[in-house]
Amino acid sequence: MTLGLINANPVVQAKKERLVRTQDQYRDDGVDPLDIYDILFPILSFEWTKYVRDIRDPEHPYTLEQLSVVSEESVTIDDELDRILITFTPTIQHCSMANIIGLCLRAKLKESLPLHYKVDIRVSPGSHADENGVNKQLNDKERVAAAMENPNLRQLVDECIYSDEI
Amino acid sequence: MDLMEKNLELVENQKLEGHTDRVWSVAWNPVSSNADGVSPILASCSGDNTVRIWEQSSLSRSWSCKTVLEETHTRTVRSCAWSPSGQLLATASFDGTTGIWKNYGSEFECISTLEGHENEVKSVSWNASGSLLATCSRDRSVWIWEVLEGNEYDCAAVLSEHSQDVKMVQWHPTMDVLFSCSYDNTIKVWWSEDDDGEYQCAQTLGESNNGHSSTVWSISFNAAGDKMVTCSDDRTLKIWGTDITKMQSGEEYAPWTHLCTLSGYHDRTIYSAHWSRDDIIVSGAGDDAIRLFVESKHDSVDGPSYNLLLKKNKAHDNDVNCVQWSPGEGERLLASASDDGMVKIWQLATKQ
């Protein structure tokens, strides 16, 4: 997998103020989209550009959240079957980063959720040139398992998902 | 015997614990069975880079781990296959190699390592006589190996017509015709016109042949070899058939045609399907369930149709990656492997 930041001038959203949630807003059982977003939030703050080579614009250390990759609306949950769908929007059409972002999202959720949850990860419709190809790859668990055995990729993913635990 | 009329259930005999990561596949040793007094033996392979050999005690009837094949593969062992004699075990690994192990009973020795694939090896299969081995990989190729004397394996063919990862290879149960299925959504049939070992892709079963619309994960043949079942990420099982007489004459290629699609029964990827000697098709899927199907007794103008015999919900705590019926005569046992790290032994029995 080549790591390279292709989009030199991404459209940047203003960093949203995170709402502080009270205990009342948490459900007693199961998970809701806000819980999932909380799990993913640390990786959204991960400063990607520090870790990829061929950075075209090192002056812009953007995070995933600022690039509108994942928002609270990106999470769909099927309570009965314990299935989670994450839809993310890579702002760069031809970005190979979509695969790595997908792997990090999956790895972070695997670390944080009970094992029986089924997680599907997709790019949002129209957001990627090879939408079907990327979706298929992100959800083929054999490919994901093999990719995660690649030491370089594993290291990058680990740095991302544990980035809040310094 | 009409199975649909009997009140059947799948009973969990035992849970085999030991692997420290997901279990990808299981394989029954073909020469062991309850009927002739030889203890059944099962191999399982895992993301923990090892293969475990399990045996059932004839006295206590309980299963235990006989030996662990470790320190050879450096990455996930994805699948394994016993030679027809039961003397050898081939192991396919993400480390790009295929191990050949000699079965010394309580010990196994790695006697050869087949190299050549550019990346992960996904599946390995022996032909009916044990003279040929096939492997496949994410490198999109299918390799055929000749089994020679003195633990030598010679690469006889490299077949590169799939456009994506090849998930599984399976030799036909009686003829030296090879089948492969892929991430490219197709099944390919590899046939050698003369016995010179020149294999060509004789047929591709894709969407235009009523084929699958997503990754095809596995292939299994019925005992007669005139039908096969394939399963897919498209959440269907498909039944295919051929003219077996024409196939056995060996004079020309006997094409396979789509007979039936079982859809609406699975809502997650189906990773494995296996056809039993008594025509029960078992499936293992990403919803943690095991399902059994049998052919409908009612005649249909459109060809055979299949009914769901039973569904075992929560067969495992996670995806079921592999399901395999035990070989031989005697009691019907089923082995399953899962992402939950377990292997389970089941028995199909009449409800009491």
Side-chain angles (χ1 to χ4, degrees):
Chain A
M1 242 187 243
T2 53
L3 306 176
L5 198 63
I6 298 142
N7 189 2
N9 293 302
V11 173
V12 179
Q13 310 296 323
K15 206 166 184 179
K16 285 185 218 168
E17 278 296 315
R18 262 198 82 217
L19 292 171
V20 174
R21 296 195 286 144
T22 63
Q23 271 306 114
D24 295 343
Q25 288 173 279
Y26 284 83
R27 284 152 33 106
D28 287 318
D29 50 340
V31 289
D32 67 28
L34 285 174
D35 294 333
I36 302 300
Y37 187 72
D38 280 349
I39 290 168
L40 295 176
F41 187 78
I43 74 170
L44 305 183
S45 315
F46 182 64
E47 290 192 359
W48 286 89
T49 52
K50 282 198 282 188
Y51 295 89
V52 294
R53 293 183 202 155
D54 303 322
I55 297 164
R56 302 260 176 100
D57 192 349
E59 315 247 324
H60 297 111
Y62 296 121
T63 66
L64 286 181
E65 189 179 23
Q66 289 172 307
L67 295 171
S68 289
V69 175
V70 175
S71 66
E72 286 156 21
E73 294 73 46
S74 311
V75 182
T76 313
I77 297 177
D78 179 330
D79 278 322
E80 210 186 297
L81 298 171
D82 284 343
R83 293 178 190 175
I84 296 166
L85 171 65
I86 309 282
T87 307
F88 72 99
T89 309
T91 54
I92 310 151
Q93 283 280 323
H94 301 280
C95 183
S96 60
M97 285 292 288
N99 289 307
I100 300 169
I101 292 167
L103 284 179
C104 290
L105 291 170
R106 189 177 287 286
K108 181 67 182 179
L109 287 173
K110 191 175 169 191
E111 288 288 310
S112 318
L113 289 173
L115 294 170
H116 69 276
Y117 274 91
K118 306 291 180 192
V119 176
D120 290 319
I121 302 184
R122 292 186 205 149
V123 292
S124 51
S127 68
H128 196 284
D130 183 23
E131 183 179 325
N132 290 332
V134 172
N135 286 341
K136 193 174 184 183
Q137 182 156 260
L138 290 178
N139 295 291
D140 181 312
K141 72 178 186 189
E142 189 178 36
R143 273 220 186 171
V144 170
M148 294 300 264
E149 285 185 358
N150 173 322
N152 295 328
L153 202 50
R154 180 82 243 188
Q155 193 184 354
L156 175 61
V157 170
D158 284 347
E159 280 172 4
C160 172
I161 67 179
Y162 297 121
S163 61
D164 60 330
E165 294 168 19
I166 293 161
Chain B
M1 168 183 60
D2 189 344
L3 291 166
M4 290 297 288
E5 282 164 22
K6 285 183 158 193
N7 213 3
L8 292 169
E9 57 175 351
L10 204 58
V11 177
E12 184 183 319
N13 275 4
Q14 198 172 341
K15 188 159 69 170
L16 309 181
E17 301 188 55
H19 280 298
T20 55
D21 203 302
R22 73 199 327 162
V23 188
W24 279 108
S25 295
V26 283
W28 292 91
N29 186 310
V31 298
S32 64
S33 103
N34 268 325
D36 38 355
V38 180
S39 303
I41 291 169
L42 185 73
S44 63
C45 55
S46 167
D48 65 12
N49 306 354
T50 73
V51 174
R52 279 179 177 255
I53 310 295
W54 312 86
E55 193 177 28
Q56 183 181 33
S57 153
S58 44
L59 288 169
S60 67
R61 311 282 284 140
S62 81
W63 290 82
S64 61
C65 181
K66 210 159 103 153
T67 188
V68 181
L69 311 185
E70 54 193 343
E71 280 160 30
T72 296
H73 287 302
T74 54
R75 286 181 60 182
T76 287
V77 186
R78 176 64 180 85
S79 73
C80 55
W82 297 92
S83 64
S85 67
Q87 294 294 305
L88 299 170
L89 180 69
T91 56
S93 172
F94 281 5
D95 67 14
T97 72
T98 303
I100 309 291
W101 304 75
K102 184 107 168 72
N103 178 2
Y104 289 109
S106 46
E107 278 176 10
F108 281 70
E109 187 196 329
C110 184
I111 56 166
S112 193
T113 303
L114 309 185
E115 294 176 353
H117 280 296
E118 288 169 23
N119 47 49
E120 304 92 57
V121 188
K122 310 285 196 181
S123 171
V124 60
S125 175
W126 299 85
N127 70 343
S129 63
S131 63
L132 297 171
L133 196 63
T135 58
C136 65
S137 163
R138 180 168 63 87
D139 69 9
R140 308 167 188 188
S141 69
V142 170
W143 288 48
I144 298 180
W145 306 80
E146 261 182 86
V147 183
L148 306 170
E149 289 197 10
N151 304 331
E152 290 285 312
Y153 292 79
D154 215 23
C155 173
V158 175
L159 309 168
S160 306
E161 289 189 43
H162 277 292
S163 58
Q164 294 278 7
D165 321 8
V166 190
K167 295 294 199 184
M168 189 190 197
V169 277
Q170 189 69 28
W171 285 98
H172 185 268
T174 58
M175 312 282 299
D176 284 347
V177 182
L178 182 65
F179 293 72
S180 59
C181 60
S182 168
Y183 184 100
D184 69 12
N185 309 349
T186 71
I187 297 138
K188 284 186 183 285
V189 188
W190 309 91
W191 180 69
S192 175
E193 189 162 353
D194 319 304
D195 277 326
D196 60 358
E198 287 282 313
Y199 278 83
Q200 311 277 359
C201 177
Q203 195 178 9
T204 299
L205 302 173
E207 277 184 85
S208 56
N209 314 85
N210 280 310
H212 290 289
S213 55
S214 189
T215 301
V216 188
W217 281 92
S218 73
I219 304 167
S220 174
F221 294 91
N222 66 349
D226 67 333
K227 291 208 185 75
M228 68 176 173
V229 59
T230 56
C231 65
S232 168
D233 179 59
D234 70 8
R235 302 158 188 195
T236 71
L237 293 171
K238 284 182 185 282
I239 313 293
W240 310 81
T242 192
D243 178 344
I244 193 70
T245 316
K246 190 175 178 184
M247 188 184 192
Q248 283 166 344
S249 75
E251 281 158 15
E252 56 172 316
Y253 175 70
W256 288 76
T257 55
H258 170 266
L259 295 179
C260 176
T261 294
L262 282 70
S263 61
Y265 296 99
H266 301 80
D267 61 351
R268 300 289 293 180
T269 302
I270 312 168
Y271 292 109
S272 175
H274 197 230
W275 204 312
S276 80
R277 299 182 63 82
D278 43 11
D279 291 324
I280 306 172
I281 295 170
V282 60
S283 73
D287 64 351
D288 314 349
I290 290 174
R291 293 168 175 80
L292 304 185
F293 297 88
V294 287
E295 192 173 335
S296 170
K297 289 297 172 208
H298 302 113
D299 289 331
S300 165
V301 175
D302 302 318
S305 68
Y306 289 77
N307 296 321
L308 178 70
L309 179 62
L310 72 86
K311 178 186 180 195
K312 187 77 186 178
N313 272 317
K314 297 248 141 274
H316 281 272
D317 293 333
N318 215 313
D319 296 7
V320 182
N321 295 323
C322 184
V323 280
Q324 290 281 295
W325 293 105
S326 60
E329 311 305 324
E331 61 183 349
R332 247 188 235 116
L333 294 179
L334 177 70
S336 61
S338 166
D339 277 355
D340 67 7
M342 301 291 153
V343 172
K344 286 192 181 186
I345 308 292
W346 308 83
Q347 194 163 348
L348 190 61
T350 316
K351 275 186 194 164
Q352 301 302 319

